[in-house]
Amino acid sequence: MTESYIPRANYDFPDQPINSDQAHPDPLEQFRIWFEKESIEADGDGNRMALATADRSGSPSLRMVLLKQYTSNGFLFFTDYRSRKGIELDQNPHAALLFYWERRQRQVRIEGRVEKVSREVSEDYFSRRPRASQAGATTSHQSAPLPDRSRFEQQVETLVGQGDPIDCPEHWGGYRLVADRYEFWQGQPGRIHRRILYQPEGGDWHRSELQP
Ligand SMILES: Cc1cc2nc3c(=O)[nH]c(=O)nc-3n(C[C@H](O)[C@H](O)[C@H](O)COP(=O)(O)O)c2cc1C
């Protein structure tokens, strides 16, 4: 039987490559340059990222989340602390993030340690969410089995309809990933891609280039 393969996408890798001299000395600033460009061109969708976690035994799992802020304190996202990712982060607080920005043929890989943010940060963000999202996050025990969908929907609806403000539940909040490794990948013609790696060195960042 003849094997069939997914056809090769016809990318033309339009962007100028960065090399390790041109790249910003601070990887957070390099991230900002690429992220802001993507955010403008993607109409605000550039903050979708894959989050990889692993359990105690090292078995990995992966899902999409939304980046909500990035500062020298880390990359911030919000979720249910009791979800699968939350349980895995309790067992193993190391994680990886991946951004893929197809338009410019770029990917950014970020790895590091993850910690919960303060209650104040979670409560502040929660208070700005739409009421339906607040009700959903309050009612849902993310990643647990759902035996009765219509009952669940009713509970959400009831909560939305009540007049009282919905407080941020204890089980919900933010995590920040404090990066200790970044890789910026720029697609290039002929698969001769550019890959700039940043690793900590003596309180600063060391830049180097990887083979494609
Ligand atoms: C584009 C996109 C963005 C998402 N953003 C979030 C998010 O910010 N937080 C979250 O908890 N789940 C988000 N989800 C849902 C997660 O991918 C996932 O289904 C959920 O968090 C449960 O994952 P877990 O069982 O591995 O914990 C998003 C899904 C997509 C497709």
Side-chain angles (χ1 to χ4, degrees):
M1 204 177 93
T2 318
E3 302 254 12
S4 80
Y5 296 99
I6 297 169
R8 178 184 179 279
N10 189 22
Y11 296 130
D12 58 358
F13 303 111
D15 233 275
Q16 286 301 307
I18 52 166
N19 62 38
S20 54
D21 297 330
Q22 291 161 339
H24 199 287
D26 180 349
L28 190 65
E29 288 308 312
Q30 183 58 49
F31 181 83
R32 189 184 313 283
I33 292 165
W34 277 19
F35 180 79
E36 286 183 354
K37 190 142 211 162
E38 177 63 21
S39 298
I40 293 164
E41 293 175 358
D43 213 6
D45 274 345
N47 66 336
R48 291 180 291 205
M49 58 185 184
L51 164 71
T53 55
D55 67 14
R56 192 177 284 119
S57 73
S59 294
S61 70
L62 183 64
R63 79 288 292 156
M64 299 300 290
V65 293
L66 295 177
L67 177 69
K68 288 296 165 183
Q69 195 183 67
Y70 58 96
T71 67
S72 53
N73 291 328
F75 290 77
L76 178 66
F77 58 93
F78 291 91
T79 193
D80 189 325
Y81 289 140
R82 308 161 303 174
S83 62
R84 180 175 178 190
K85 71 182 91 50
I87 291 167
E88 292 188 355
L89 287 170
D90 273 348
Q91 294 178 1
N92 175 0
H94 297 272
L97 303 176
L98 175 73
F99 295 85
Y100 174 50
W101 295 321
E102 182 174 9
R103 209 176 316 264
R104 289 189 172 265
Q105 278 304 295
R106 288 173 170 172
Q107 70 175 331
V108 183
R109 299 165 61 173
I110 303 173
E111 294 160 34
R113 227 188 132 72
V114 176
E115 50 198 50
K116 285 181 182 165
V117 301
S118 68
R119 273 330 280 165
E120 291 71 39
V121 169
S122 296
E123 285 167 4
D124 177 62
Y125 178 71
F126 189 86
S127 71
R128 299 160 192 258
R129 300 184 87 207
R131 192 168 172 86
S133 307
Q134 293 177 335
T138 302
T139 311
S140 170
H141 180 156
Q142 193 178 52
S143 314
L146 179 57
D148 186 343
R149 174 87 197 180
S150 58
R151 182 153 177 270
F152 173 80
E153 285 178 2
Q154 235 165 34
Q155 286 173 332
V156 175
E157 220 171 278
T158 307
L159 197 50
V160 170
Q162 281 172 4
D164 303 334
I166 303 174
D167 291 333
C168 180
E170 283 297 317
H171 64 250
W172 193 93
Y175 285 104
R176 68 165 57 99
L177 182 143
V178 182
D180 58 22
R181 183 185 170 107
Y182 289 79
E183 185 199 315
F184 293 83
W185 183 99
Q186 174 67 64
Q188 290 292 282
R191 301 286 192 265
I192 314 295
H193 311 305
R194 297 309 286 244
R195 301 178 61 190
I196 310 301
L197 174 69
Y198 291 77
Q199 288 171 300
E201 191 183 69
D204 215 337
W205 290 96
H206 174 70
R207 288 197 305 288
S208 58
E209 195 156 350
L210 300 176
Q211 298 191 29

